[in-house]
Amino acid sequence: MVDAGVHVRPVVVSATILRHAGRLMLQVQGLSVEVGGRLIVDGISFTVMPRDKVGLVGRNGAGKTSLFKVLGGAAESSGGKIVRKGGFGYLPQDPRIAGVLDTRLAVTHVLSGRQIDEQLDRIEKLRIVMEEDASERNVARYSKAQDEFASSGGYAAESEARSIMAGLGLSPSRMELPIGVLSGGERRRVELSRILFAGSDVLLLDEPTNHLDVDAKTWLLGFMRNYRGALLVISHDLELLDEAITRVLHLDRPGEENLGNLVEYKGTYSQYKTARRLDEERLAKQAALQTKEIARIQAVVDRFGAKATKAKMAHSKEKQIARLEAQRVHVAAGDRTLRVKFPDPPSCGTTVLTARHMSKGYGGPPVFEDVSFDLGRGERLLVLGLNGAGKTSLLRILAGETDANLGDFQFGHQVTMGYYAQEHDNLRAEQTLLENLRADVPPGVIYTETQLRAFLGMMGLSGEKVFQESGTLSGGEKTKLALAMLMVGRNNLLLLDEPTNNLDPPSREAVADALTGWKGSIVFVSHDTEFVEALSPTKVLLMPDGQLDYFNEDWLELVSLA
């Protein structure tokens, strides 16, 4: 069991999630989780019951996402056993749909969460056979399949799937389109719908409100409040944690070199914060007393250790120090405040970017068409639009990641561009943080390893972490790495697609402050109202119509809806 309060000790894991009393849904025994060759948890224990709403919290980099990946089946454990039963859904921080599924209809993909798509496909095949040969046997087979599907709740489940998709902002017409013609935002919502639909008994959600507008977020909060199964969630969204959480599991891992423990707190997130603060004050006092006692005994050893007559006593004291060190309480220093500074931009022409009559589609109706605008030196352009309006598609065209179907764009004299992709597509998963940073250094620019590590350090990525493969990072750490990669690029134009997603509030504020004082040009997409307000955009481009206007505070009302 998880120890309450400060009474924490490593124990053998036995995490049990029950659909109802007496029925086992997920059991984890003897679990160990390792990241980058370092053991982050070993011997943790917790139980989550139906209707429990459990938040997993802890400092940035503690290993919350790594633990979730193992519980969700997306990564292997270093030891132990996990047994899952019932309808299970796991949402990673960056949900993706495999490209091979581009021809599958959106609603069919959501139904695949419970394999209902396979049942419907079988019924359709039986219907075709019956129409070709309306024999008694073929009619009976088709009728039986339909009856079994209806009696098992298949038609009701399809209605449920469509209700989830609608709640997340997908219109009935978009549900019937192939995945490949949907925008990036729509594809993410389709995948989130599939996971929520699949998780009828157990849901693990890692930053579920990322990329959602205010309406979809409101709907999701209501869904979570009314969810009858076992729910575990990681989130930096304080509103979600306060509204939807009834228990908190704190992953207590003070530093990269420490083994983590789980501490359980009953009640809401606000109640957890109060209880945790008291625990940390108590732990800090305990740690200070231990340090003082170790220093006192060490002074005795230093004074008498060299004397033959006192050698036995000194040796006994050294054993006492070893025992105290083994029992030592490690106190987290807390999330370090980031001190972010983007290098001054190199000089460039007066006009930084010009776009002319650009259109983009993915095989279906155009996502946007006939979009034109220009951007001057030092200006900030906010790209606004509802889900599926083509905001990410526009930035990907400007970044050279894809082509416009019609129209073109041109950078100005001596313009150098840096691109932040909201799904971290530009990270090389198999390379370390240092290798990723080094690969983005422009030709002719030389940075020492110390200088590269300083860029990472500004983003809170330091120590042995810089030698870790980027694919093992949490979403927040990937965001910080991607932003550090922009710093080495010597850019005077930044294309930023939701750069504050996955960041905790202090980190979001630090990044906003750094960009506010930066003198280069920025084209950005964000639904973070405080971030937009801090950057003070010069212009607004409303998608998909391409309407261009000067920014004023009235536009802020639309930011959270975008």
Side-chain angles (χ1 to χ4, degrees):
M1 297 294 294
V2 173
D3 301 307
V6 296
H7 305 292
V8 183
R9 61 181 184 279
V11 290
V12 176
V13 170
S14 176
T16 306
I17 300 176
L18 300 176
R19 186 174 188 178
H20 52 73
R23 182 172 180 184
L24 183 66
M25 301 308 295
L26 179 126
Q27 183 178 34
V28 183
Q29 296 177 321
L31 183 68
S32 298
V33 177
E34 194 175 285
V35 177
R38 188 185 296 275
L39 199 63
I40 62 169
V41 288
D42 184 27
I44 57 175
S45 174
F46 63 92
T47 298
V48 183
M49 302 296 290
R51 297 178 183 270
D52 273 356
K53 309 294 191 295
V54 182
L56 179 62
V57 304
R59 68 170 182 85
N60 286 333
K64 303 183 296 294
T65 289
S66 298
L67 175 58
F68 247 45
K69 284 180 179 178
V70 172
L71 293 175
E76 294 291 330
S77 67
S78 299
K81 180 182 179 183
I82 301 175
V83 180
R84 303 177 189 87
K85 295 181 181 179
F88 182 86
Y90 164 59
L91 176 74
Q93 281 192 359
D94 293 313
R96 308 289 181 94
I97 301 176
V100 295
L101 301 176
D102 279 355
T103 58
R104 175 187 276 184
L105 298 185
V107 67
T108 302
H109 183 68
V110 175
L111 291 171
S112 72
R114 297 185 196 169
Q115 291 76 50
I116 288 176
D117 61 318
E118 297 175 5
Q119 299 176 51
L120 288 172
D121 185 53
R122 177 173 175 267
I123 290 173
E124 177 62 14
K125 288 177 179 177
L126 290 173
R127 184 191 64 80
I128 293 172
V129 170
M130 180 186 67
E131 287 184 350
E132 292 175 349
D133 178 13
S135 66
E136 185 177 337
R137 178 174 178 272
N138 288 342
V139 171
R141 290 177 65 196
Y142 174 71
S143 298
K144 181 182 179 183
Q146 269 200 320
D147 291 343
E148 288 177 347
F149 184 71
S151 63
S152 65
Y155 291 114
E158 183 173 356
S159 175
E160 179 188 348
R162 290 179 181 273
S163 176
I164 291 173
M165 296 176 77
L168 290 174
L170 292 160
S171 67
S173 62
R174 306 302 284 179
M175 297 177 195
E176 303 295 339
L177 290 176
I179 290 169
V181 308
L182 300 180
S183 71
E186 289 174 319
R187 290 165 68 100
R188 280 190 300 275
R189 290 167 193 243
V190 168
E191 182 63 0
L192 175 55
S193 298
R194 185 191 68 81
I195 290 161
L196 296 179
F197 180 66
S200 54
D201 298 298
V202 185
L203 277 176
L204 272 67
L205 305 178
D206 196 347
E207 299 290 357
T209 58
N210 275 359
H211 316 298
L212 296 184
D213 59 34
V214 66
D215 289 339
K217 176 182 167 182
T218 300
W219 179 88
L220 181 62
L221 286 174
F223 177 92
M224 293 170 65
R225 280 194 297 267
N226 297 323
Y227 183 65
R228 296 175 179 237
L231 174 67
L232 291 86
V233 62
I234 297 173
S235 181
H236 285 119
D237 190 323
L238 302 185
E239 181 185 355
L240 178 148
L241 289 175
D242 259 337
E243 286 197 15
I245 296 305
T246 58
R247 287 172 56 203
V248 171
L249 293 177
H250 179 97
L251 180 52
D252 190 9
R253 186 167 171 250
E256 291 292 317
E257 70 284 355
N258 300 121
L259 189 64
N261 294 306
L262 282 181
V263 188
E264 179 179 345
Y265 294 86
K266 303 287 188 181
T268 65
Y269 180 73
S270 294
Q271 290 169 330
Y272 147 77
K273 287 195 296 183
T274 300
R276 183 64 194 173
R277 185 181 68 251
L278 295 174
D279 279 356
E280 288 180 347
E281 290 173 359
R282 194 157 46 242
L283 285 168
K285 290 178 182 178
Q286 185 179 344
L289 289 173
Q290 287 177 330
T291 299
K292 184 177 180 180
E293 179 64 7
I294 289 171
R296 185 189 68 79
I297 299 172
Q298 185 63 53
V300 174
V301 173
D302 293 341
R303 181 180 179 185
F304 298 109
K307 297 183 179 181
T309 56
K310 302 289 186 177
K312 186 175 180 180
M313 182 269 289
H315 184 61
S316 175
K317 292 295 184 183
E318 286 175 340
K319 287 184 176 180
Q320 188 178 353
I321 291 174
R323 286 195 299 272
L324 288 173
E325 288 285 3
Q327 299 166 1
R328 185 168 227 171
V329 172
H330 297 279
V331 181
D335 288 336
R336 182 160 59 92
T337 301
L338 302 184
R339 299 185 181 277
V340 183
K341 185 180 186 305
F342 283 82
D344 291 335
S347 61
C348 64
T350 303
T351 301
V352 172
L353 172 63
T354 304
R356 308 177 190 87
H357 310 294
M358 293 201 303
S359 300
K360 183 64 178 177
Y362 295 93
V367 177
F368 62 82
E369 51 188 338
D370 199 25
V371 171
S372 300
F373 63 91
D374 61 69
L375 186 70
R377 183 174 56 218
E379 289 187 329
R380 283 100 188 272
L381 175 67
L382 170 64
V383 183
L384 275 180
L386 298 178
N387 177 48
K391 304 183 296 292
T392 291
S393 295
L394 175 63
L395 262 66
R396 293 187 73 242
I397 292 170
L398 299 177
E401 300 289 321
T402 187
D403 296 321
N405 299 124
L406 294 172
D408 60 12
F409 70 92
Q410 184 177 1
F411 292 129
H413 180 61
Q414 292 187 333
V415 169
T416 53
M417 176 273 298
Y419 172 50
Y420 174 90
Q422 66 167 296
E423 295 186 358
H424 308 121
D425 298 325
N426 52 346
L427 298 187
R428 305 157 188 90
E430 303 301 321
Q431 294 185 6
T432 67
L433 278 65
L434 267 179
E435 289 168 341
N436 269 277
L437 208 61
R438 192 174 287 115
D440 268 30
V441 175
V445 177
I446 299 175
Y447 287 115
T448 65
E449 181 173 311
T450 300
Q451 289 172 317
L452 291 176
R453 294 186 70 155
F455 283 116
L456 291 170
M458 272 198 289
M459 300 307 302
L461 304 168
S462 58
E464 293 300 307
K465 175 76 72 177
V466 303
F467 301 112
Q468 193 171 313
E469 290 184 356
S470 67
T472 66
L473 297 177
S474 69
E477 290 170 329
K478 286 179 180 177
T479 294
K480 292 175 180 179
L481 171 58
L483 290 170
M485 290 163 64
L486 291 179
M487 294 178 183
V488 303
R490 299 283 178 92
N491 304 301
N492 44 35
L493 169 63
L494 294 181
L495 309 176
L496 306 176
D497 194 355
E498 300 286 5
T500 59
N501 274 349
N502 302 313
L503 293 179
D504 58 272
S507 297
R508 288 201 296 266
E509 185 177 347
V511 171
D513 288 346
L515 289 171
T516 297
W518 190 64
K519 298 186 183 302
S521 303
I522 302 175
V523 179
F524 70 108
V525 175
S526 178
H527 65 269
D528 183 337
T529 305
E530 292 180 359
F531 179 75
V532 171
E533 191 170 15
L535 260 61
S536 300
T538 314
K539 302 175 182 177
V540 175
L541 181 67
L542 190 61
M543 299 293 285
D545 298 330
Q547 175 189 343
L548 190 66
D549 198 359
Y550 288 104
F551 181 82
N552 59 57
E553 290 188 0
D554 293 341
W555 286 105
L556 286 174
E557 296 180 15
L558 294 179
V559 170
S560 62
L561 299 174

